[in-house]
Structures are given as structure tokens and as C-alpha cells.
Amino acid sequence: MNAELKQNMNKLVADLNVLYMKIHHFHWFVKGPNFFTLHAKFEELYNEVTEHNDSIAERLLQLNEKPISTLKECLNLATVKEASKVGTDVEMVEELVNDLETIDKELTATMELAGDDEGTADLLLGISESFQKHIWMFKAFLGK
């Protein structure tokens, strides 16, 4: 595995860890008429993010590499930023769409770096497809 691919995969681990905490934040603090819908959707998504994160970290291990594994490493490497406030339900969804789009771009770039490593590319493609569906659904929620 080349160094750039390893770095990108660890960046994905970092972003997914930060995203997991952010979605938990949204899950705990969402209010308003969309509470029941978003509370359940956020829980579904943070569970899915956990599975994706574990799959990427385990893929690194399968390839004799070391995934990052501390919160400090995640915060230093991640593009996704922690939740900084308790916003409205719409603000939460808008922020989540932006984060999912950011991670999806990283997934695409990392797939390109994977080259002939079909196992890694396939794993990342599956995550990308899932995130694209969530982006579409959240945008529909926002009326976009």
C-alpha cells in the first residue's frame, strides 16, 4: 500500500469518527416538529457510520497497516469538524449534507488511489453509494 492511500484511508477513519460524534450530538439535541423522523434517522446513520469506519480500519489492518485509533489523531486529521452548537433541525441536516458530500469526495479520491486493489476500491464504492443516497434523501428533506 502506498503512503498516500494509507493517509487517505486514515483520513476517512478520522472523518467518520468525528461524524459519528456529530450525528450523536444531532440525535440528542434535535427538537421541533421533525424530532421523531430525524431522531430515528440520525440513529440509523450513526450506526451505519460506525460499521463503515470499522470496515475501513479493518481493511487497513488486513493490508498490514495501522489505522489511527485515538480521538486526538482523529481531530488532527479530520476535515469534518465537531458540532459547535445546537442548531435547528434544518441547520443540522444542512451541516450533515455538507459533511457527507465532503467525505464522499474523499471516498472518490481514495478509490482512485486504490488502483488495482479491488477489495479496497469496492469497499469504498459501497460506502460512497450509501452516502450518496443519504445526501439525496436529506436534500429532499430540505426541499432541494
Side-chain angles (χ1 to χ4, degrees):
M1 171 177 281
N2 70 49
E4 191 176 6
L5 177 57
K6 177 184 173 185
Q7 176 73 9
N8 276 37
M9 289 181 71
N10 268 315
K11 189 171 188 337
L12 288 166
V13 168
D15 279 327
L16 291 172
N17 272 306
V18 174
L19 184 65
Y20 170 83
M21 285 304 301
K22 182 183 275 188
I23 299 169
H24 254 98
H25 173 87
F26 293 165
H27 172 77
W28 292 329
F29 292 105
V30 68
K31 293 189 184 319
N34 296 308
F35 170 81
F36 289 106
T37 301
L38 289 177
H39 186 76
K41 186 65 177 171
F42 292 154
E43 182 173 358
E44 172 193 322
L45 188 55
Y46 71 65
N47 286 329
E48 179 182 321
V49 165
T50 299
E51 291 177 22
H52 294 322
N53 193 26
D54 191 54
S55 295
I56 293 171
E58 288 179 350
R59 184 66 184 161
L60 280 163
L61 290 165
Q62 291 166 15
L63 299 171
N64 296 315
E65 299 292 348
K66 292 183 181 177
I68 60 171
S69 58
T70 68
L71 294 175
K72 182 177 181 178
E73 289 172 304
C74 289
L75 291 172
N76 286 337
L77 190 56
T79 301
V80 172
K81 301 299 179 204
E82 293 181 289
S84 60
K85 64 177 183 165
V86 176
T88 66
D89 56 349
V90 169
E91 290 170 330
M92 290 175 181
V93 172
E94 288 172 339
E95 190 169 345
L96 189 51
V97 165
N98 289 334
D99 291 340
L100 290 170
E101 288 177 334
T102 295
I103 294 171
D104 191 49
K105 287 176 188 165
E106 291 172 6
L107 287 162
T108 300
T110 308
M111 279 185 273
E112 291 174 12
L113 289 172
D116 293 338
D117 180 354
E118 293 178 6
T120 299
D122 186 56
L123 170 67
L124 300 175
L125 178 61
I127 296 169
S128 176
E129 288 172 347
S130 178
F131 279 9
Q132 288 174 17
K133 184 174 182 179
H134 289 297
I135 291 164
W136 164 69
M137 294 174 88
F138 282 125
K139 282 184 174 181
F141 171 86
L142 294 169
K144 295 182 179 182

